[in-house]
Amino acid sequence: MDAIDRAVIALLQDGIAPEPRPFEAAGRALGIDEVEVLDRLGRLLDDGTLTRFGPMFDAERMGGTFVLAAFAVPEDRFDSVAELVNGHAEVAHNYARDHALNMWFVVATETPERAETVLDAIEAETGLLVVRLPKLAEYYVGLRLAP
């Protein structure tokens, strides 16, 4: 990453203005054009520097749900199981943990029933028991990537 890549990430992680050409506005703020902003984002996604770029929706405010889930994955199957889990569009993200439950992931769906369907499918595909971890309280932790 160069300094412009870092500036693009720093600017866009706070959101995109709801206007007809938001990347043009971002480019103006950065002293580059819209095409370069989009090209840089594409490259950062393609090379794995960024794993996701897109909107964040509050599924619960729209009638849906989030479910934090975890399971114990044999180390020799970790990558193949991660691929199966990530193959579900409803999986917001997953990550490895140094714990008996070594893979954790979040499912976001339009209805609570759909979340159960997705989690059941993941169990069937992997042959592993998925532990559902219900939300007891919500906390906001601001996350910002350093430029």
Side-chain angles (χ1 to χ4, degrees):
M1 284 192 344
D2 64 17
I4 298 172
D5 289 338
R6 287 182 186 84
V8 167
I9 292 169
L11 178 70
L12 297 179
Q13 70 182 320
D14 287 328
I16 296 174
E19 57 182 79
R21 300 195 66 127
F23 297 104
E24 182 178 68
R28 267 194 317 276
L30 297 167
I32 59 178
D33 66 27
E34 172 183 37
V35 172
E36 186 172 354
V37 172
L38 291 168
D39 286 347
R40 285 176 177 273
L41 285 172
R43 183 179 42 76
L44 292 167
L45 287 163
D46 289 344
D47 72 13
T49 301
L50 297 178
T51 57
R52 181 184 181 282
F53 181 80
M56 298 276 295
F57 299 103
D58 186 339
E60 290 175 332
R61 289 185 71 187
M62 298 186 303
T65 194
F66 291 107
V67 177
L68 176 62
F71 49 16
V73 180
E75 285 302 320
D76 63 329
R77 293 186 55 208
F78 198 89
D79 290 341
S80 63
V81 170
E83 191 173 318
L84 289 170
V85 170
N86 291 339
H88 292 269
E90 298 87 352
V91 173
H93 60 278
N94 84 36
Y95 47 95
R97 299 265 324 243
D98 185 19
H99 186 274
L101 298 173
N102 59 345
M103 183 181 294
W104 293 56
F105 57 99
V106 175
V107 171
T109 60
E110 63 278 3
T111 66
E113 297 79 23
R114 177 69 186 149
E116 282 304 311
T117 300
V118 171
L119 293 166
D120 289 346
I122 290 171
E123 283 182 333
E125 292 166 7
T126 63
L128 301 169
L129 175 67
V130 174
V131 177
R132 282 95 159 143
L133 301 161
K135 178 172 69 173
L136 302 177
E138 185 168 326
Y139 302 91
Y140 175 75
V141 178
L143 171 66
R144 291 198 38 83
L145 302 174

